[in-house]
Amino acid sequence: MSPAMVFTQNGGVLSRREIPQHAPERFAQALLSALAGGWRVVSYFGMQEEDGVRLFCLLSFKSHATIGVMSTLITGKSFYSLVPQAPQLHLFEREIAEQFYLNLEGHPWPKPVRFAPALGSLPGDTPEPPPTIGVMDFYRVEGEEVHEVAVGPVHAGIIEPGHFRFQCFGEEVMHLEISLGYQHRGVERMMQGRPGERMRKLMETVAGDTTIGHGTAYAMIVEALSETRVPARAQAVRGIALELERLANHTGDLGAIAGDVGYLPTASFCGRIRGDFLNMTAGICGSRFGRDLVLPGGVRFDLGADGARQLSDRIKVAREEVQNAVDLLWDTPSVLARLEGTGVVSEQTAIELGLVGPAARASGLNRDIRRDHPFGIYSMSQIPVETAKSGDVYARTLVRWLEIEKSLDFIEEQLSQLPGVAVANPVREVAGEQLAVALTEGWRGEVCHVALTDARGHFQRYKVTDPSFHNWTGLALALRGGQISDFPLCNKSFNLSYCGFDL
């Protein structure tokens, strides 16, 4: 492993003094060398310092369950892009340039990510106000018969805002560019200060449908910084809640995909069954989305013997119902004909973009944080990773179904053997001058939180990377060479978060 990095584990903590600080040229060489050696970037961000902007890069090496960390200091007004050699960095670099008022040299398409005010700038600089959201140059394909189609940010349905700009030749999509930022709330700016209840609640709302995924990552950060041990029973309850979140959303997605191809039986059944899974979460904590369930140190609510038995009975009923609903989908040739070969993302493209979650696994990438960087109950009880090869809408649908089956098995197993009695331990003071990292496998994929504390133990920088940040470009490339009429189906097969991206 490269000496250019210092190493930790998921849910681990490092002294900031331990983190290697390289000159920019050495940093670039070390980063490209690590990527060539099989490492993958999970977080790459900047933090304001007196002398400039400190860049931190965190990389994952799954076969060793290891996370590597390194840094460099940018003292000038620009830094050189590595995207031509490492495409997975393209949004990370644009985000850094936007947040710290830096010029990005050599990037093939340097544009705003969220049209947001800068988090910081070089000493003496007065950052300009951010550009008007959505007002920018879009990539254009020239030609007499080439036409441009603009969709959004206001959509026909009650959904989040985002802008999609298509370059088309007839019905064929030659290029799709996606512009987001309309949901930006300044989450990372609000995470500066003393860790507390307000920040916990804020992390649950990064992406409302991933409350458990983000809430667990935040809890892991605080637990790492305070050296707090979580009781085994609480870890089991967290795991059950995370899989219920996955079940609700995967089931809803299967129904929505069926609806997009006009197959109403599965669409109707899955819509109702999704509600059943949400109600199971509400049965644990009173909230269908799992709000206030996960706390630093454990969980707020327990699953007693009666509650575990009732949930197990409901899981058995839901398993049979969702099996019947999805069997209808697989048994209908016209549905399969619509899914197969639509919106293909090749394995090589998925690797280059750094895709995560079901979108990555549908393209043949065998990656899952629950196995590669196990956390909580997954350190003791693992879930098999399901993959597909074709990288199309069919593969993304199939992977969701296979994961539903495995999540149901996991929940039944945990309910049959809930350990211990305690569900929470008191949280001690957060340590100062530390870096902590937490990875969870949300239903869309990898959730990454990184925190840096100052001498008082306050968050000086808190970085959130939602899986959608990795995957939006995958959707854009899935449309390339396809029909513009395939866009709603491809979009639903990814089902990415606007607010999770926009923060």
Side-chain angles (χ1 to χ4, degrees):
M1 294 185 180
S2 171
M5 295 183 281
V6 63
F7 307 109
T8 186
Q9 306 293 322
N10 189 12
V13 64
L14 293 167
S15 168
R16 287 172 57 174
R17 290 188 297 272
E18 297 178 46
I19 301 172
Q21 301 181 13
H22 302 297
E25 296 80 9
R26 169 64 177 140
F27 176 84
Q29 293 171 358
L31 177 51
L32 292 177
S33 176
L35 294 177
W39 292 77
R40 179 177 60 84
V41 173
V42 296
S43 190
Y44 183 29
F45 61 94
M47 185 179 74
Q48 188 69 52
E49 293 188 353
E50 288 185 8
D51 299 329
V53 177
R54 175 74 59 189
L55 302 185
F56 294 88
C57 188
L58 284 80
L59 300 102
S60 157
F61 197 73
K62 74 174 187 178
S63 63
H64 293 77
T66 299
I67 297 169
V69 186
M70 58 182 174
S71 73
T72 189
L73 182 66
I74 304 298
T75 56
K77 294 187 177 181
S78 64
F79 69 105
Y80 195 77
S81 172
L82 301 179
V83 167
Q85 295 82 30
Q88 63 179 281
L89 299 177
H90 80 107
L91 275 174
F92 287 112
E93 289 187 348
R94 286 168 52 188
E95 179 184 52
I96 291 168
E98 178 179 44
Q99 289 183 336
F100 296 95
Y101 194 49
L102 296 172
N103 297 319
L104 188 52
E105 297 181 3
H107 193 289
W109 202 226
K111 303 172 64 173
V113 174
R114 302 185 182 95
F115 303 87
L119 289 177
S121 61
L122 294 174
D125 277 348
T126 303
E128 299 174 0
T132 303
I133 187 167
V135 178
M136 62 178 182
D137 292 331
F138 287 88
Y139 183 86
R140 298 193 66 176
V141 179
E142 300 294 339
E144 290 186 2
E145 298 185 40
V146 175
H147 62 281
E148 187 174 71
V149 179
V151 178
V154 179
H155 299 278
I158 304 175
I159 62 173
E160 298 175 283
H163 183 74
F164 303 86
R165 188 71 63 94
F166 297 85
Q167 307 292 317
C168 298
F169 181 77
E171 292 294 305
E172 180 183 347
V173 177
M174 304 179 74
H175 181 75
L176 166 60
E177 188 166 352
I178 301 171
S179 177
L180 304 175
Y182 299 90
Q183 295 277 85
H184 179 65
R185 296 156 286 164
V187 166
E188 293 179 351
R189 192 186 302 272
M190 288 189 282
M191 287 298 291
Q192 295 175 349
R194 182 180 178 84
E197 183 69 0
R198 180 185 66 83
M199 291 185 179
R200 184 191 67 78
K201 289 182 176 291
L202 180 61
M203 286 297 94
E204 288 186 331
T205 61
V206 168
D209 53 18
T210 314
T211 292
I212 303 298
H214 280 286
T216 299
Y218 172 77
M220 290 170 62
I221 289 286
V222 175
E223 289 154 6
L225 290 168
S226 62
E227 297 183 342
T228 300
R229 188 186 67 83
V230 178
R233 190 178 186 89
Q235 297 285 25
V237 173
R238 285 182 181 183
I240 290 168
L242 186 61
E243 297 311 313
L244 283 174
E245 187 170 77
R246 195 179 323 276
L247 286 167
N249 286 287
H250 279 4
T251 302
D253 283 351
L254 291 179
I257 289 169
D260 274 349
V261 299
Y263 191 68
L264 297 185
T266 297
S268 301
F269 290 140
C270 285
R272 179 187 62 78
I273 299 166
R274 170 183 176 269
D276 292 340
F277 286 126
L278 290 173
N279 288 336
M280 292 179 205
T281 301
I284 299 174
C285 65
S287 165
R288 283 158 57 92
F289 292 101
R291 299 287 168 84
D292 289 331
L293 173 57
V294 178
L295 305 172
V299 292
R300 190 187 298 273
F301 302 92
D302 190 13
L303 258 176
D306 290 342
R309 186 165 50 253
Q310 292 172 9
L311 179 56
S312 181
D313 291 341
R314 297 177 73 179
I315 285 290
K316 289 181 173 64
V317 172
R319 179 193 291 272
E320 182 178 353
E321 292 182 341
V322 73
Q323 175 80 62
N324 292 336
V326 176
D327 281 348
L328 294 173
L329 199 71
W330 302 141
D331 291 342
T332 307
S334 61
V335 171
L336 298 183
R338 190 72 181 87
L339 305 183
E340 292 171 344
T342 301
V344 175
V345 178
S346 70
E347 182 175 0
Q348 184 59 36
T349 297
I351 292 172
E352 291 176 354
L353 295 179
L355 297 190
V356 298
R361 294 189 282 273
S363 294
L365 301 192
N366 195 322
R367 57 178 58 158
D368 188 313
I369 295 301
R370 293 172 294 178
R371 181 202 60 198
D372 301 338
H373 297 277
F375 58 98
I377 192 64
Y378 302 104
S379 300
M380 303 295 178
S381 181
Q382 294 190 350
I383 296 181
V385 178
E386 299 291 348
T387 62
K389 279 291 185 184
S390 54
D392 52 8
V393 174
Y394 170 78
R396 292 187 283 276
T397 306
L398 176 63
V399 166
R400 281 183 172 87
W401 166 241
L402 296 175
E403 292 188 358
I404 285 174
E405 292 184 308
K406 296 302 181 289
S407 293
L408 289 166
D409 293 341
F410 176 85
I411 291 175
E412 288 190 330
E413 177 187 358
Q414 297 308 313
L415 290 173
S416 69
Q417 55 183 20
L418 283 172
V421 177
V423 294
N425 283 327
V427 178
R428 294 186 285 269
E429 288 296 316
V430 167
E433 298 292 343
Q434 305 288 306
L435 178 147
V437 57
L439 297 168
T440 65
E441 185 70 22
W443 65 273
R444 285 190 182 93
E446 172 186 296
V447 172
C448 180
H449 288 205
V450 184
L452 289 117
T453 58
D454 61 18
R456 299 171 297 170
H458 292 188
F459 290 144
Q460 187 175 356
R461 181 75 164 93
Y462 197 101
K463 182 77 193 95
V464 176
T465 307
D466 186 82
S468 298
F469 192 82
H470 295 279
N471 286 355
W472 272 111
T473 307
L475 171 61
L477 292 185
L479 265 293
R480 187 168 292 183
Q483 301 292 297
I484 192 170
S485 56
D486 290 337
F487 173 66
L489 180 58
C490 290
N491 191 20
K492 183 54 63 179
S493 74
F494 280 83
N495 193 14
L496 302 175
S497 174
Y498 296 77
C499 65
F501 177 96
D502 290 343
L503 297 177

